[in-house]
Amino acid sequence: MKAKKSSKMELRKSVEIIGCLPASSRALVGGLYWSGMPEEAGGGRKAMNIISLGAGVQSTTMLLMAAHGEITPKPDYAIFADTGWEPKKVYQHLEWLKKEAAKFGIKVIVTQEKNIKDDLLFAINSESKTGKAGFTNLPFHLINKDGTRGMAKRQCTAEYKIRPIQKKIRELLGYKPRQRIKEKVTLWMGISTDEIQRVKPSREKWIEHRWPLIEKRMNRLDCLSWMERKGYPQPPKSSCVGCPFHNDALWLDMKLNDKEAWEEAVEMDRAIKKLHRLKGKPYLHGSCQPLDEVYLHENQITIDLFDNECEGMCGV
């Protein structure tokens, strides 16, 4: 009985998620269909197709599949919103990807309004020097005064990923702030079938989300296999250096293979203790221990980084 009840709940959840998808974008997932073809813009205006590029496994695969004509129509642009605190490997991969996409006539645009690391340090220093509450926006793990645990409010995705991309799209369309957009923009999201819970509709009326990898029934391993078949390098994991959503596997990988990033994260973990505006004491690690004191299972043989990519939509 429990198994049947669980299956019904999962089916109901899938239906609810797929119910968020536009009627024009139905593909086979769990026996449910949508066509995968974006709607055309009304009023004779050209519809624009844009890739939200996180430069991780899924969005890299999606961009290159479009370049090879395996996903249509050909996107007008791919936009990468730079938080300013990605690992060096991501920036190196992004430079390669820009050149590779250009061979197929697809322009990768990098946009950045603010630097999440600099903003965080500014908030920390403002509090320590003036005693006034600074501004922070990462979902830190907290130990409250009564000993309970919680998380700080998450604002980083909207401020450093979603809004910069939307602003850049406005510029590409030739609109000024607050002008009503008449074109129809289809924004491609790099979400695969194994993370369908991240599928959500756009909050902007002029933007319609599309999930090409779900249309192709591809999971993350399928993406890696496609990249390998084409002779492309495996993309690095895309997420901010000090993201509180990292699991032990990613922290360990950083500690072993990216000393500079690890040291940055450890120093930031110490520095955020000065953020007194928070209701509790903040930590980057979910155990609410100092990052450099956390046991990360260093003796494990393999490191599973499967669920630790931002791709521009962390927590969205």
Side-chain angles (χ1 to χ4, degrees):
M1 289 297 292
K2 288 184 178 180
K4 289 184 178 180
K5 187 174 182 181
S6 177
S7 297
K8 288 181 179 179
M9 290 178 66
E10 290 177 4
L11 179 58
R12 187 181 301 114
K13 184 178 180 181
S14 297
V15 171
E16 289 174 354
I17 291 171
I18 294 172
C20 295
L21 305 177
S24 59
S25 290
R26 305 195 180 252
L28 179 60
V29 175
L32 300 173
Y33 292 78
W34 65 90
S35 69
M37 295 303 295
E39 295 177 358
E40 297 297 323
R45 291 179 175 270
K46 181 182 180 294
M48 183 176 281
N49 286 272
I50 294 177
I51 289 177
S52 177
L53 183 66
V57 172
Q58 282 93 333
S59 64
T60 294
T61 304
M62 180 172 64
L63 171 56
L64 293 175
M65 286 183 73
H68 285 272
E70 295 183 31
I71 300 174
T72 58
K74 182 178 177 180
D76 297 279
Y77 301 98
I79 303 178
F80 176 85
D82 185 6
T83 67
W85 205 17
E86 293 274 358
K88 285 186 177 180
K89 289 182 180 180
V90 172
Y91 292 118
Q92 292 169 353
H93 173 73
L94 179 63
E95 289 305 309
W96 171 84
L97 188 57
K98 287 165 65 175
K99 295 176 182 177
E100 188 65 26
K103 295 177 183 178
F104 298 88
I106 301 175
K107 184 175 182 179
V108 174
I109 298 173
V110 178
T111 185
Q112 181 182 21
E113 289 191 41
K114 301 186 293 181
N115 184 303
I116 196 168
K117 180 185 175 184
D118 291 347
D119 290 352
L120 185 53
L121 290 173
F122 179 80
I124 292 168
N125 291 330
S126 295
E127 286 198 358
S128 61
K129 291 178 180 179
T130 67
K132 296 180 180 179
F135 178 75
T136 186
N137 39 37
L138 271 69
F140 301 120
H141 303 278
L142 303 174
I143 291 184
N144 301 315
K145 293 180 179 179
D146 61 0
T148 60
R149 296 186 181 186
M151 291 195 79
K153 186 177 181 180
R154 180 179 62 226
Q155 298 170 311
C156 46
T157 301
E159 294 212 10
Y160 295 89
K161 288 289 187 180
I162 297 174
R163 290 174 189 168
I165 287 178
Q166 290 179 354
K167 183 177 179 181
K168 178 55 66 174
I169 294 174
R170 279 181 165 273
E171 292 176 6
L172 292 171
L173 291 171
Y175 287 92
K176 296 179 180 180
R178 293 182 292 280
Q179 278 189 314
R180 182 175 176 273
I181 295 178
K182 299 178 181 179
E183 284 84 355
K184 186 72 168 183
V185 174
T186 302
L187 191 61
W188 299 14
M189 315 299 282
I191 296 177
S192 49
T193 58
D194 43 290
E195 44 185 22
I196 194 171
Q197 71 278 2
R198 296 170 66 187
V199 168
K200 290 180 175 63
S202 170
R203 295 182 180 181
E204 299 292 333
K205 293 182 179 179
W206 53 280
I207 294 178
E208 181 176 86
H209 286 171
R210 182 188 177 194
W211 303 271
L213 296 177
I214 292 179
E215 295 167 15
K216 294 287 186 180
R217 288 168 276 177
M218 293 177 67
N219 59 32
R220 186 176 184 276
L221 293 178
D222 292 328
C223 292
L224 290 170
S225 296
W226 187 92
M227 293 286 292
E228 185 177 2
R229 288 197 304 273
K230 292 293 184 180
Y232 287 129
Q234 180 175 323
K237 308 300 177 290
S238 175
S239 58
C240 288
V241 169
C243 179
F245 286 136
H246 291 340
N247 65 12
D248 282 1
L250 197 144
W251 285 126
L252 178 58
D253 182 60
M254 187 187 299
K255 183 177 182 179
L256 297 177
N257 302 311
D258 192 344
K259 298 293 185 182
E260 183 178 345
W262 172 253
E263 290 173 3
E264 278 188 22
V266 168
E267 287 302 314
M268 186 63 77
D269 185 58
R270 293 170 181 159
I272 59 177
K273 303 301 185 290
K274 299 177 183 178
L275 290 169
H276 303 300
R277 71 180 290 267
L278 298 171
K279 294 181 179 180
K281 191 174 182 179
Y283 295 85
L284 291 183
H285 192 270
S287 67
C288 290
Q289 300 178 65
L291 184 58
D292 58 342
E293 297 179 14
V294 176
Y295 174 57
L296 296 172
H297 306 281
E298 280 88 345
N299 61 342
Q300 68 183 26
I301 298 174
T302 59
I303 297 176
D304 180 13
L305 305 178
F306 186 83
D307 266 338
N308 275 269
E309 290 198 77
C310 173
E311 286 286 25
M313 298 154 291
C314 47
V316 181

